[in-house]
Short mmCIF file of all heavy atoms in Angstrom, two decimals:
data_model
loop_
_atom_site.label_atom_id
_atom_site.label_comp_id
_atom_site.label_asym_id
_atom_site.label_seq_id
_atom_site.Cartn_x
_atom_site.Cartn_y
_atom_site.Cartn_z
N PHE A 251 175.22 185.06 82.69
CA PHE A 251 174.96 184.49 81.35
C PHE A 251 175.87 185.33 80.32
O PHE A 251 175.80 186.47 80.39
CB PHE A 251 173.53 184.58 81.01
CG PHE A 251 172.65 183.78 81.96
CD1 PHE A 251 171.83 184.35 82.92
CD2 PHE A 251 172.73 182.38 81.97
CE1 PHE A 251 171.06 183.64 83.83
CE2 PHE A 251 171.94 181.62 82.79
CZ PHE A 251 171.17 182.24 83.70
N HIS A 252 176.49 184.70 79.49
CA HIS A 252 177.28 185.31 78.44
C HIS A 252 177.46 184.32 77.25
O HIS A 252 177.30 183.08 77.31
CB HIS A 252 178.63 185.85 78.93
CG HIS A 252 179.37 184.82 79.70
ND1 HIS A 252 179.09 184.47 80.97
CD2 HIS A 252 180.42 184.06 79.30
CE1 HIS A 252 180.04 183.55 81.35
NE2 HIS A 252 180.75 183.21 80.36
N ILE A 253 177.82 184.93 76.09
CA ILE A 253 177.92 184.09 74.95
C ILE A 253 179.41 183.47 74.99
O ILE A 253 180.40 184.18 75.27
CB ILE A 253 177.92 184.85 73.64
CG1 ILE A 253 176.53 185.65 73.55
CG2 ILE A 253 178.12 184.03 72.37
CD1 ILE A 253 176.47 186.71 72.39
N VAL A 254 179.44 182.19 74.77
CA VAL A 254 180.76 181.49 74.61
C VAL A 254 180.89 180.77 73.34
O VAL A 254 179.96 179.93 73.05
CB VAL A 254 181.00 180.51 75.79
CG1 VAL A 254 182.32 179.75 75.72
CG2 VAL A 254 180.94 181.20 77.20
N ASN A 255 181.92 181.04 72.58
CA ASN A 255 182.09 180.29 71.32
C ASN A 255 183.14 179.19 71.55
O ASN A 255 184.28 179.43 71.67
CB ASN A 255 182.62 181.28 70.26
CG ASN A 255 182.79 180.59 68.93
OD1 ASN A 255 182.56 179.40 68.79
ND2 ASN A 255 183.36 181.30 67.94
N LYS A 256 182.66 177.93 71.70
CA LYS A 256 183.49 176.78 71.88
C LYS A 256 183.88 176.17 70.54
O LYS A 256 184.31 174.95 70.57
CB LYS A 256 182.90 175.83 72.89
CG LYS A 256 182.96 176.39 74.36
CD LYS A 256 182.58 175.42 75.39
CE LYS A 256 182.84 175.90 76.73
NZ LYS A 256 184.18 175.63 77.20
N TYR A 257 183.50 176.71 69.44
CA TYR A 257 183.74 176.11 68.12
C TYR A 257 184.64 177.01 67.36
O TYR A 257 184.59 177.03 66.12
CB TYR A 257 182.37 176.02 67.52
CG TYR A 257 182.35 174.93 66.33
CD1 TYR A 257 183.13 173.79 66.36
CD2 TYR A 257 181.43 175.13 65.31
CE1 TYR A 257 183.10 172.89 65.26
CE2 TYR A 257 181.40 174.23 64.22
CZ TYR A 257 182.26 173.09 64.22
OH TYR A 257 182.14 172.24 63.19
N ARG A 258 185.53 177.70 68.12
CA ARG A 258 186.41 178.64 67.30
C ARG A 258 187.39 178.01 66.40
O ARG A 258 187.91 178.60 65.47
CB ARG A 258 187.29 179.44 68.43
CG ARG A 258 186.55 180.65 68.99
CD ARG A 258 187.42 181.72 69.35
NE ARG A 258 186.63 182.78 69.97
CZ ARG A 258 186.57 183.00 71.28
NH1 ARG A 258 187.33 182.39 72.07
NH2 ARG A 258 185.82 184.05 71.74
N ARG A 259 187.56 176.63 66.50
CA ARG A 259 188.43 175.96 65.52
C ARG A 259 187.93 176.12 64.19
O ARG A 259 188.59 175.87 63.21
CB ARG A 259 188.76 174.54 66.00
CG ARG A 259 187.53 173.64 65.93
CD ARG A 259 187.92 172.26 66.53
NE ARG A 259 186.71 171.41 66.60
CZ ARG A 259 186.33 170.55 65.74
NH1 ARG A 259 187.11 170.30 64.62
NH2 ARG A 259 185.27 169.78 65.97
N VAL A 260 186.54 176.30 64.04
CA VAL A 260 185.86 176.37 62.78
C VAL A 260 185.22 177.76 62.52
O VAL A 260 185.22 178.29 61.43
CB VAL A 260 184.88 175.28 62.61
CG1 VAL A 260 183.98 175.42 61.32
CG2 VAL A 260 185.59 173.92 62.71
N VAL A 261 184.59 178.29 63.59
CA VAL A 261 183.68 179.49 63.49
C VAL A 261 184.35 180.66 64.17
O VAL A 261 184.44 180.71 65.42
CB VAL A 261 182.37 179.07 64.22
CG1 VAL A 261 181.44 180.31 64.28
CG2 VAL A 261 181.64 177.93 63.46
N PRO A 262 184.68 181.66 63.40
CA PRO A 262 185.11 182.88 64.04
C PRO A 262 184.02 183.68 64.67
O PRO A 262 182.87 183.65 64.17
CB PRO A 262 185.70 183.81 62.84
CG PRO A 262 185.08 183.22 61.65
CD PRO A 262 184.58 181.78 61.90
N ASP A 263 184.26 184.44 65.75
CA ASP A 263 183.23 185.21 66.48
C ASP A 263 182.54 186.12 65.59
O ASP A 263 181.29 186.34 65.68
CB ASP A 263 183.84 186.00 67.54
CG ASP A 263 184.25 185.11 68.80
OD1 ASP A 263 184.02 183.85 68.67
OD2 ASP A 263 184.73 185.58 69.82
N ILE A 264 183.22 186.66 64.52
CA ILE A 264 182.59 187.64 63.71
C ILE A 264 181.81 187.03 62.48
O ILE A 264 181.18 187.78 61.77
CB ILE A 264 183.66 188.65 63.17
CG1 ILE A 264 184.67 187.86 62.45
CG2 ILE A 264 184.23 189.61 64.22
CD1 ILE A 264 185.49 188.81 61.43
N GLY A 265 181.84 185.71 62.43
CA GLY A 265 180.99 185.08 61.29
C GLY A 265 181.73 185.42 59.91
O GLY A 265 182.92 185.58 59.88
N ASN A 266 180.94 185.53 58.94
CA ASN A 266 181.47 185.76 57.61
C ASN A 266 180.77 186.96 56.90
O ASN A 266 179.59 186.90 56.43
CB ASN A 266 181.15 184.45 56.73
CG ASN A 266 181.78 184.51 55.35
OD1 ASN A 266 181.92 185.61 54.81
ND2 ASN A 266 182.09 183.42 54.80
N ALA A 267 181.58 188.06 56.89
CA ALA A 267 180.98 189.35 56.48
C ALA A 267 180.61 189.26 55.01
O ALA A 267 179.58 189.81 54.57
CB ALA A 267 181.98 190.43 56.68
N ASN A 268 181.44 188.52 54.15
CA ASN A 268 181.13 188.36 52.66
C ASN A 268 179.77 187.68 52.46
O ASN A 268 178.98 188.10 51.62
CB ASN A 268 182.20 187.50 52.04
CG ASN A 268 183.48 188.40 51.81
OD1 ASN A 268 183.43 189.56 51.94
ND2 ASN A 268 184.53 187.58 51.62
N ALA A 269 179.60 186.57 53.22
CA ALA A 269 178.30 185.82 53.05
C ALA A 269 177.11 186.82 53.40
O ALA A 269 176.08 186.72 52.83
CB ALA A 269 178.26 184.65 53.92
N ARG A 270 177.24 187.58 54.53
CA ARG A 270 176.21 188.42 54.93
C ARG A 270 175.96 189.53 53.83
O ARG A 270 174.80 189.95 53.61
CB ARG A 270 176.53 189.07 56.22
CG ARG A 270 176.48 188.14 57.51
CD ARG A 270 176.43 188.86 58.78
NE ARG A 270 177.50 189.68 59.08
CZ ARG A 270 178.70 189.30 59.69
NH1 ARG A 270 178.83 188.03 60.00
NH2 ARG A 270 179.65 190.10 59.92
N GLU A 271 177.08 189.97 53.14
CA GLU A 271 176.87 191.02 52.17
C GLU A 271 176.04 190.36 50.98
O GLU A 271 175.19 191.06 50.44
CB GLU A 271 178.27 191.45 51.69
CG GLU A 271 178.35 192.76 50.99
CD GLU A 271 179.73 193.10 50.51
OE1 GLU A 271 180.58 192.97 51.34
OE2 GLU A 271 179.85 193.47 49.37
N ILE A 272 176.45 189.20 50.59
CA ILE A 272 175.67 188.50 49.49
C ILE A 272 174.19 188.37 49.76
O ILE A 272 173.40 188.62 49.06
CB ILE A 272 176.36 187.17 49.15
CG1 ILE A 272 177.77 187.31 48.55
CG2 ILE A 272 175.42 186.39 48.25
CD1 ILE A 272 178.50 186.03 48.32
N LEU A 273 173.98 187.95 51.02
CA LEU A 273 172.55 187.80 51.47
C LEU A 273 171.77 189.10 51.34
O LEU A 273 170.73 189.16 50.83
CB LEU A 273 172.55 187.33 53.01
CG LEU A 273 172.75 185.93 53.24
CD1 LEU A 273 172.63 185.60 54.77
CD2 LEU A 273 171.64 185.02 52.60
N ALA A 274 172.51 190.22 51.88
CA ALA A 274 171.74 191.49 51.79
C ALA A 274 171.55 192.04 50.41
O ALA A 274 170.60 192.75 50.17
CB ALA A 274 172.59 192.50 52.61
N LYS A 275 172.42 191.66 49.57
CA LYS A 275 172.33 192.09 48.14
C LYS A 275 171.15 191.46 47.49
O LYS A 275 170.37 192.12 46.76
CB LYS A 275 173.56 191.62 47.40
CG LYS A 275 174.28 192.73 46.73
CD LYS A 275 175.50 192.34 45.95
CE LYS A 275 176.56 193.32 46.05
NZ LYS A 275 177.88 192.91 45.70
N VAL A 276 170.88 190.25 47.74
CA VAL A 276 169.85 189.47 47.01
C VAL A 276 168.46 189.36 47.68
O VAL A 276 167.37 189.49 47.11
CB VAL A 276 170.32 188.03 46.67
CG1 VAL A 276 169.22 187.24 45.93
CG2 VAL A 276 171.62 188.16 45.83
N PHE A 277 168.56 189.34 49.03
CA PHE A 277 167.28 189.13 49.75
C PHE A 277 167.02 190.31 50.66
O PHE A 277 167.82 191.06 51.09
CB PHE A 277 167.47 187.91 50.73
CG PHE A 277 167.62 186.64 50.04
CD1 PHE A 277 168.84 185.83 50.22
CD2 PHE A 277 166.63 186.10 49.19
CE1 PHE A 277 168.98 184.58 49.55
CE2 PHE A 277 166.83 184.80 48.59
CZ PHE A 277 167.93 184.12 48.75
N TYR A 278 165.66 190.37 51.05
CA TYR A 278 165.24 191.25 52.09
C TYR A 278 164.46 190.50 53.10
O TYR A 278 163.90 189.44 52.70
CB TYR A 278 164.51 192.50 51.54
CG TYR A 278 163.16 192.09 50.90
CD1 TYR A 278 162.00 192.29 51.69
CD2 TYR A 278 163.10 191.80 49.60
CE1 TYR A 278 160.79 191.86 51.02
CE2 TYR A 278 161.87 191.49 48.98
CZ TYR A 278 160.69 191.58 49.68
OH TYR A 278 159.50 191.22 49.21
N GLU A 279 164.25 190.99 54.35
CA GLU A 279 163.53 190.24 55.31
C GLU A 279 161.99 190.33 54.96
O GLU A 279 161.51 191.35 54.75
CB GLU A 279 163.71 190.91 56.69
CG GLU A 279 165.07 190.66 57.29
CD GLU A 279 165.10 191.45 58.65
OE1 GLU A 279 164.48 192.41 58.85
OE2 GLU A 279 166.01 190.93 59.49
N SER A 280 161.40 189.06 55.04
CA SER A 280 159.91 189.10 54.80
C SER A 280 159.35 188.24 55.84
O SER A 280 160.00 187.48 56.57
CB SER A 280 159.70 188.45 53.42
OG SER A 280 160.22 187.14 53.45
N ASP A 281 158.01 188.32 55.99
CA ASP A 281 157.24 187.43 56.94
C ASP A 281 157.25 186.07 56.29
O ASP A 281 157.22 185.88 55.10
CB ASP A 281 155.87 187.91 57.13
CG ASP A 281 155.84 189.38 57.65
OD1 ASP A 281 156.93 189.86 58.15
OD2 ASP A 281 154.76 189.99 57.57
N ALA A 282 157.32 184.96 57.19
CA ALA A 282 157.31 183.66 56.64
C ALA A 282 156.56 182.69 57.59
O ALA A 282 156.47 182.89 58.82
CB ALA A 282 158.72 183.16 56.52
N PHE A 283 155.95 181.69 56.96
CA PHE A 283 155.23 180.67 57.70
C PHE A 283 156.23 179.56 58.18
O PHE A 283 156.91 178.98 57.31
CB PHE A 283 154.15 180.04 56.88
CG PHE A 283 152.93 180.88 56.58
CD1 PHE A 283 152.79 181.43 55.31
CD2 PHE A 283 152.13 181.32 57.67
CE1 PHE A 283 151.73 182.27 55.07
CE2 PHE A 283 151.05 182.13 57.37
CZ PHE A 283 150.89 182.67 56.05
N TRP A 284 156.27 179.20 59.40
CA TRP A 284 157.08 178.18 59.90
C TRP A 284 156.13 176.98 60.37
O TRP A 284 155.10 177.26 61.05
CB TRP A 284 157.96 178.63 61.13
CG TRP A 284 158.91 179.62 60.83
CD1 TRP A 284 158.79 180.79 60.26
CD2 TRP A 284 160.28 179.55 61.28
NE1 TRP A 284 159.98 181.57 60.23
CE2 TRP A 284 160.94 180.71 60.91
CE3 TRP A 284 161.07 178.57 61.87
CZ2 TRP A 284 162.30 180.97 61.11
CZ3 TRP A 284 162.41 178.84 62.21
CH2 TRP A 284 163.02 180.03 61.75
N ARG A 285 156.60 175.80 60.11
CA ARG A 285 155.83 174.70 60.59
C ARG A 285 155.75 174.73 62.15
O ARG A 285 156.88 174.84 62.78
CB ARG A 285 156.41 173.33 60.05
CG ARG A 285 155.55 172.11 60.48
CD ARG A 285 156.21 170.96 59.80
NE ARG A 285 155.88 170.88 58.45
CZ ARG A 285 154.91 170.11 57.92
NH1 ARG A 285 154.22 169.32 58.75
NH2 ARG A 285 154.62 170.12 56.66
N GLY A 286 154.58 174.75 62.63
CA GLY A 286 154.39 174.58 64.10
C GLY A 286 154.60 175.95 64.81
O GLY A 286 154.12 176.08 65.94
N LEU A 287 155.14 176.95 64.13
CA LEU A 287 155.32 178.19 64.86
C LEU A 287 154.46 179.32 64.18
O LEU A 287 154.28 180.34 64.75
CB LEU A 287 156.81 178.63 64.70
CG LEU A 287 157.88 178.12 65.76
CD1 LEU A 287 158.03 176.70 65.53
CD2 LEU A 287 159.24 178.83 65.50
#
Side-chain angles (χ1 to χ4, degrees):
F251 300 109
H252 50 281
I253 303 168
V254 178
N255 180 4
K256 286 187 170 277
Y257 199 33
R258 280 213 179 99
R259 68 187 173 97
V260 175
V261 173
D263 285 0
I264 55 162
N266 184 331
N268 284 341
R270 292 197 295 273
E271 200 182 313
I272 290 172
L273 278 181
K275 233 178 216 166
V276 176
F277 295 119
Y278 66 95
E279 286 178 334
S280 61
D281 303 342
F283 291 110
W284 293 53
R285 184 171 283 259
L287 277 64

